[in-house]
Amino acid sequence: MKKVLLEMEDQKNNYEQKAKESLQKVLEEKMNAEQQLQSTQRSLALAEQKCEEWRRQYELLKEDWRTLGSQHRELESQLHVLQSKLQGADSRDLQMNQALQFLENEHQELQAKIESLQGDRDLCSSDTQDLQDQLKKSEEEKLALETRVQQLQNLLQSQSLQLQEQEYLLTKKGQQIYYHKF
């Protein structure tokens, strides 16, 4: 009986030892599971933070895109206005060139008349003096008109250069906006 009691005591100790080991193992697994849960919760919180940051970035980019689109449309409108002004300047330049050509033709006609009248000068000396005065006056008027045409051409050229410069700046600004978008 004593032997049986000792065996039972020994079995009891073995069971207790195995129970302690199993309990220890379960506790370790529980601690590992809790650590994994905490780690997963931290990862989830970080992922949610990143998601919110990306959402904010998306909204900011969407607003920037709207602004850039508006600026692009405004620049295109300004470009069309400048192109229209440039066409008007080209038209005025053409008109000035036509006026200058008309004056040169008129001067040639007057010069031809003068030459014709100079041939008859011996016959009509008083008429010749009048014509010379008229020629001088015509040449002064021509000179004044040529000077005026030159001034107008210079002004037109200056305006044309300014319009081209503005068009270049608008094109450059439009490209910067376009590149800024991407």
Side-chain angles (χ1 to χ4, degrees):
M1 188 134 177
K2 200 173 187 183
K3 189 176 179 183
V4 171
L5 277 175
L6 282 174
E7 281 179 17
M8 286 177 71
E9 183 72 30
D10 201 25
Q11 280 182 346
K12 176 185 156 195
N13 286 339
N14 278 341
Y15 286 133
E16 283 179 0
Q17 183 61 33
K18 286 182 183 179
K20 283 181 186 178
E21 287 174 3
S22 292
L23 185 59
Q24 183 66 32
K25 190 175 177 183
V26 167
L27 286 173
E28 285 175 5
E29 288 175 359
K30 180 184 173 190
M31 284 177 60
N32 284 339
E34 286 177 352
Q35 287 175 349
Q36 285 180 350
L37 176 63
Q38 289 174 354
S39 174
T40 304
Q41 286 174 337
R42 282 193 298 270
S43 295
L44 177 61
L46 283 173
E48 286 174 346
Q49 269 184 329
K50 284 184 180 180
C51 180
E52 187 57 35
E53 180 61 31
W54 283 110
R55 188 175 290 118
R56 279 195 300 270
Q57 287 290 337
Y58 171 74
E59 290 301 323
L60 288 173
L61 287 173
K62 205 161 78 170
E63 185 59 36
D64 285 348
W65 182 256
R66 274 191 221 110
T67 303
L68 287 173
S70 173
Q71 288 175 347
H72 179 70
R73 285 188 294 279
E74 184 179 327
L75 287 173
E76 278 183 337
S77 173
Q78 290 176 359
L79 179 62
H80 290 305
V81 168
L82 286 174
Q83 286 173 338
S84 174
K85 285 182 179 178
L86 185 59
Q87 287 175 349
D90 288 343
S91 173
R92 286 191 298 275
D93 185 42
L94 180 64
Q95 289 173 351
M96 290 295 178
N97 285 335
Q98 289 173 346
L100 181 60
Q101 184 64 40
F102 175 76
L103 288 173
E104 286 175 352
N105 290 341
E106 190 174 277
H107 177 262
Q108 288 174 356
E109 289 172 10
L110 288 173
Q111 192 68 37
K113 284 182 183 179
I114 290 169
E115 289 172 4
S116 171
L117 290 172
Q118 284 176 343
D120 298 337
R121 167 174 62 184
D122 295 336
L123 301 172
C124 309
S125 64
S126 66
D127 288 343
T128 303
Q129 184 61 39
D130 290 342
L131 287 174
Q132 284 177 345
D133 292 342
Q134 203 175 22
L135 173 63
K136 185 177 179 181
K137 184 178 178 183
S138 291
E139 286 179 351
E140 288 172 356
E141 288 176 0
K142 178 194 169 220
L143 238 130
L145 285 172
E146 285 178 342
T147 302
R148 180 65 182 147
V149 166
Q150 186 63 40
Q151 289 172 346
L152 290 173
Q153 282 182 329
N154 289 342
L155 177 63
L156 185 59
Q157 187 177 13
S158 172
Q159 288 176 348
S160 179
L161 287 173
Q162 287 175 349
L163 286 173
Q164 288 173 353
E165 189 174 307
Q166 288 177 352
E167 183 176 0
Y168 171 75
L169 290 175
L170 282 174
T171 303
K172 188 174 181 181
K173 189 174 182 183
Q175 288 172 352
Q176 288 174 347
I177 288 173
Y178 177 78
Y179 289 125
H180 179 67
K181 289 180 193 176
F182 299 101

